[in-house]
Amino acid sequence: MVRAAREFQVLAKPAGPVCNLDCHYCYYLKKRQLYPDAESFRMPEDLLEEYILQHIEASEDAVITFCWHGGEPTVLGLDYFRKIVALQRKHKPGDRRIINGMQTNGMLLDEEWCRFFSSEAFCVGLSLDGPAQMHDLHRVTQGREPTHGRTMRAFELLRRHKIPCDILCVVHAQNVQYPTQVYRFFKEIGGEYLGFLPLVEPMRDAKGGVSPQTVPAEAFGSFLCAIFDEWIQRDTGRISVQIFEEASRPVRGLEHSLCIFRETCGEIPVVEHNGDFFSCDHFVDARHRLGNIHEISLAELLDSPAQQAFGQAKRDTLPHYCQTCEVRAMCNGGCPKDRFILTPDGEEGLNYLCAGLKRFFSYSQPYLLKLMSPWHARLPLEPMPPAQARQVSRTRRNDPCPCGSGRKYKKCCLGASRKP
């Protein structure tokens, strides 16, 4: 058995780039061009089993996590995922646990799907870009029909079945203008876990240029600041916003959990429908195809020199402008896919979103320091409510306390937060 030397999270794509929608900003539909002779993008059952076995063997964690992505994974049908769960049970070591996550557009979800998710403890990410008029601008069917109504039906089904659901909102040039409206919409429908993904589409024929639907960098910063103002006044402990949690981690002396803000990356590769291994979901191309799990084990590919070099390049190519930035620890240059503009002094490799990210991180840091300091110092003077501490830290009761005391969380900061 060969295990990977580091933690990892594979985005498995058993349906490849196949999707039942035709979203205007989707970057993955065009990946069909990598497989011009493909008769089917359905991962064969023997390869599916091989992937599941290799994933289990490569993981050294007590909890083994599978992430099913696409395209749209539900186009494979519910029986395909019943088979996935059966194969996982077949190969699961007795002393370990397996959990599954799926990112979906929700178009095919119904009661039967949700009963399955509930019984098998799936976590679901749902793509939803805000109110109907903002969502339907880009998220349309192949016949150019709107999808908001069906997405909302999926969300309501997931809530009814008490399935953990993260909402993923793509922030584009239109909805970025209405931060409060977007955020309050998510609050009103009962969204508890929100991720805001900025749309960045570089134009090949214009160096540093972007598409009209790309979110303006400074507007994205304003969008985050406006939502942060409402969140920190009313919703801490009730609503989890991914980028706000990430902004709090350096304040608490913790490493980022989100790859785009880590110093290095490369822990979230892709395994395509035919077993091809790619360095990252945003680098599924011939250059970043490092092999196939038929020929090289998943663990070996994860630890390969090429994959390590891919991850370290993020740090090693960081412009001097970023290295001396006062909020470097908050973003570490951001995602490499967005680092295509020039710094003020003409150096290549600055993140297109730099102005917006810098504005948000600079704005939020003083508030986060004030919010976190009593909890981090384990002082009962202005204790953070227990739910808030758990929500922000994502630390379980018996885990080591992230403050670094060496004690269990329940006997350290969680305990301090319970004191009257």
Side-chain angles (χ1 to χ4, degrees), residues 147-253:
T147 62
H148 189 266
R150 292 171 68 183
T151 305
M152 285 303 303
R153 179 178 179 274
F155 179 70
E156 290 161 6
L157 280 169
L158 292 166
R159 286 197 73 204
R160 189 185 313 155
H161 286 266
K162 297 180 169 54
I163 297 160
C165 177
D166 291 5
I167 293 175
L168 179 63
C169 173
V170 173
V171 184
H172 47 72
Q174 290 76 36
N175 61 2
V176 74
Q177 302 173 52
Y178 306 97
T180 304
Q181 186 176 343
V182 169
Y183 180 63
R184 289 180 181 173
F185 167 78
F186 290 137
K187 286 207 299 182
E188 288 166 4
I189 66 172
E192 296 179 337
Y193 305 96
L194 309 179
F196 294 108
L197 180 66
L199 175 62
V200 179
E201 293 180 327
M203 301 291 285
R204 292 183 179 179
D205 57 348
K207 190 172 180 61
V210 294
S211 71
Q213 60 196 20
T214 289
V215 62
E218 293 191 8
F220 183 59
S222 299
F223 176 91
L224 293 176
C225 290
I227 293 175
F228 182 81
D229 281 343
E230 181 151 338
W231 174 82
I232 203 164
Q233 292 177 34
R234 299 182 176 90
D235 301 320
T236 56
R238 291 196 315 112
I239 296 177
S240 171
V241 180
Q242 186 182 49
I243 193 169
F244 299 169
E245 290 192 1
E246 286 299 318
S248 77
R249 294 183 73 86
V251 174
R252 292 178 283 143

Side-chain angles (χ1 to χ4, degrees), residues 182-401:
V182 169
Y183 180 63
R184 289 180 181 173
F185 167 78
F186 290 137
K187 286 207 299 182
E188 288 166 4
I189 66 172
E192 296 179 337
Y193 305 96
L194 309 179
F196 294 108
L197 180 66
L199 175 62
V200 179
E201 293 180 327
M203 301 291 285
R204 292 183 179 179
D205 57 348
K207 190 172 180 61
V210 294
S211 71
Q213 60 196 20
T214 289
V215 62
E218 293 191 8
F220 183 59
S222 299
F223 176 91
L224 293 176
C225 290
I227 293 175
F228 182 81
D229 281 343
E230 181 151 338
W231 174 82
I232 203 164
Q233 292 177 34
R234 299 182 176 90
D235 301 320
T236 56
R238 291 196 315 112
I239 296 177
S240 171
V241 180
Q242 186 182 49
I243 193 169
F244 299 169
E245 290 192 1
E246 286 299 318
S248 77
R249 294 183 73 86
V251 174
R252 292 178 283 143
L254 301 177
E255 183 181 5
H256 281 294
S257 61
L258 193 59
C259 63
I260 61 173
F261 296 134
R262 288 189 177 189
E263 188 176 34
T264 60
C265 58
E267 296 90 5
I268 310 182
V270 162
V271 171
E272 255 289 344
H273 70 288
N274 67 340
D276 281 349
F277 177 102
F278 295 90
S279 294
C280 170
D281 190 43
H282 291 284
F283 292 86
V284 175
D285 52 42
R287 177 185 171 192
H288 293 94
R289 180 192 176 277
L290 304 190
N292 188 291
I293 64 170
H294 271 311
E295 302 155 356
I296 309 171
S297 74
L298 179 63
E300 291 175 294
L301 288 164
L302 286 162
D303 292 337
S304 67
Q307 184 66 3
Q308 292 184 40
F310 172 83
Q312 292 167 1
K314 179 183 179 183
R315 175 197 61 209
D316 296 344
T317 60
L318 194 66
H320 180 73
Y321 179 79
C322 297
Q323 294 174 24
T324 57
C325 178
E326 61 270 23
V327 295
R328 174 186 172 177
M330 311 291 271
C331 84
N332 286 300
C335 184
K337 78 176 180 67
D338 298 329
R339 285 163 54 171
F340 56 83
I341 65 172
L342 300 179
T343 67
D345 56 0
E347 189 178 0
E348 293 184 347
L350 184 64
N351 195 306
Y352 165 80
L353 295 166
C354 175
L357 292 174
K358 188 171 184 178
R359 178 179 179 187
F360 165 67
F361 287 131
S362 299
Y363 181 80
S364 63
Q365 194 168 28
Y367 294 93
L368 292 171
L369 283 167
K370 183 178 179 181
L371 181 69
M372 299 297 166
S373 57
W375 169 77
H376 189 273
R378 306 189 300 283
L379 296 175
L381 300 177
E382 297 179 14
M384 183 180 291
Q388 185 175 351
R390 290 194 297 271
Q391 191 72 48
V392 173
S393 68
R394 288 187 178 271
T395 303
R396 293 174 294 185
R397 289 169 51 82
N398 291 312
D399 287 345
C401 189

Side-chain angles (χ1 to χ4, degrees), residues 12-16 35 40-55 66 68 80 83-84 87 91 271-277 291-296 298 301:
K13 297 180 181 279
Y35 303 100
S40 170
F41 285 92
R42 184 185 185 92
M43 184 180 284
E45 189 172 304
D46 59 340
L47 176 59
L48 178 66
E49 181 167 16
E50 181 63 24
Y51 164 65
I52 288 171
L53 177 59
Q54 289 193 28
H55 187 114
F66 285 84
W68 305 102
Y80 192 92
K83 184 64 179 179
I84 284 174
L87 290 170
H91 294 291
V271 171
E272 255 289 344
H273 70 288
N274 67 340
D276 281 349
F277 177 102
N292 188 291
I293 64 170
H294 271 311
E295 302 155 356
I296 309 171
L298 179 63
L301 288 164

